[in-house]
Amino acid sequence: MSPEPHVPADDAGHEETPHTPGQAAAAAHGPLDPEDVGSTYLLEPDDLTHLLRQLVVTPGAREDLVRSPQTGAPLASVPVSTPEDVARAVAEARAAQRAWSRRTVADRARVLLALGDIVLAEQSDVLDLVQLENGKSRASAFEEVADLAQVTRHYGVRGASYLRDRRVPGMLPVLTSARVHRRPVGVVGVIAPWNYPLTLALSDALPALLAGNAVVLKPDPQTTLTALWAAEALLRAGLPRGVLRVVAGGGEVGAALVDAVDHVVFTGSTATGRKVAAQAAGRLVGATLELGGKNPLYVAADADVDAAALGAVRACFGNTGQLCMSIERLYVHTDVAEEFTAAFVARVRELRVGPGLDYTHDVGSLTTSAQLERVTEHVDDALSRGARVLVGGVHRTDLGPLFHEPTVLTDVPDDALCAREETFGPLVTLRVVQDDDEAVRHMNDTDYGLNASIWTTSARRGRELAARVEAGSVGINDGYASAWGSVAAPMGGFKQSGLGRRHGRESIEAMTESQTIVVQRLVGHGASLDELFKFPDGKGQALLTTGLRVLRSLRMP
């Protein structure tokens, strides 16, 4: 994996394996042997057959061996698509899209609502899969189930209003009528990362499908199985076969997808996002990009300190800190600094770190060795520059290969790596500020602007401070969950944190084309513009000038 965080890449926790599909199925499997974690598959190859059928791959394709982050044990062998497979997947999706787009919006919405029911009913199975592929805790995995329940309900119920034809004022009252229609762009390509393998596989695919598009999904190689589960669940929810296709692989496959679709949705690093944007721009197709963040949280002088400490722990260390919206910088007003720091550090110490497919742990494993290396590099760099560890700072090899304690650093200089770059792991810095102005200045001192959080007992004060913060979303007395979970509101970043928005009406509009249809009435009865312009010597223009003045005086839109 690239050293940049959450980039879909070719070596994210997996390796090439010589197994053919038949050999993979015949490989040793069964209960995990604690004496030799490399001796067996954690998932029965035969049990994955129905999922792997969802992949568009050439028979006999090369396979990648994916390992579980929690133990390092082999998880599954997954066939890899080629650029030619991508072209085939897009062609199949494009053919299926024509019939899908002719269905009523209500019919398409029923598929989304049925999917939401499936996700809630079968959450145990998909939670296991998410944890095995990603390494996160059960509680963090459940956030993905809850999110899909939210997204399917919102677009299933509200989506039709976003797509409804809209009447707008025409050029001339009575004579001109105008309507704006939303038309699907065709095939939407979704390139999803490994940090939220269920949520980010479907959060953009679902509004695209509701709008009448087909979707070709390329998950990260580390988390392909979760995406295949989602694709199979959509079929059971009633989505016609071919409307959503899945391809597997790394950067080469992603690049081929961007070259073939009519709109691309990418979630990943800013560096890779720039490349995706340039590639899409070269074809004059749209791109929705959610990229990196260095998200701040401010504890104001009037904050409820206990509530802020509790909220900050989840905001910083949920999903093992591997979240675009995760808080990585804490700014605390001097009046409450001592009290907050003590409460926050105490709560961080109480976090239960470890593996397991249950709710006994609060923080899970990092997902890739590259992310572990980045976290340790940022910690070591800060300490070498004079920073102090308030809690954590240890790579927990006793728990598994990629576990790292939730870590809080203070006295971090401005030139430290973790002060400027996104860590994307369980590491946060804490700094005391003298007033609101200093807090806002530090919060905005970054190239990123995805998410921010402000803690205060005054909603009015919180809104006033939020208006000064350069971020696409600002949570008052919340870290990130309320902003993300408010699906009706757009979600995206300022500055280098992205382009476009997901969620709400904005997501639907990004993946549709607006078409304006105008009707000119009374043509042939002397009341059209063409008839008006036939008057000689500028008389028609004079009449039009009078009419325009009347419209202005009446403040007609």
Side-chain angles (χ1 to χ4, degrees), residues 86-168:
V86 173
R88 179 160 58 93
V90 173
E92 292 171 357
R94 200 174 296 285
Q97 185 267 338
R98 298 185 186 99
W100 175 245
S101 67
R102 289 194 292 269
R103 292 197 180 189
T104 65
V105 177
D107 192 16
R108 300 196 294 260
R110 277 190 285 273
V111 174
L112 272 63
L113 294 171
L115 174 66
D117 291 337
I118 290 172
V119 170
L120 289 175
E122 301 179 14
Q123 62 179 276
S124 180
D125 291 341
V126 74
L127 287 174
D128 286 351
L129 199 53
V130 167
Q131 284 193 273
L132 287 169
E133 285 196 303
N134 174 275
K136 65 177 68 182
S137 69
R138 192 76 163 186
S140 293
F142 179 76
E143 289 185 359
E144 302 202 47
V145 168
D147 177 67
L148 259 295
Q150 287 275 90
V151 171
T152 53
R153 187 188 75 246
H154 175 76
Y155 284 109
V157 174
R158 188 81 174 271
S161 67
Y162 297 152
L163 290 163
R164 189 172 295 126
D165 292 351
R166 182 164 49 95
R167 295 183 65 176
V168 298

Side-chain angles (χ1 to χ4, degrees), residues 533-542:
F533 287 147
K534 285 171 55 178
F535 284 95
D537 303 322
K539 292 179 181 177
Q541 286 77 4

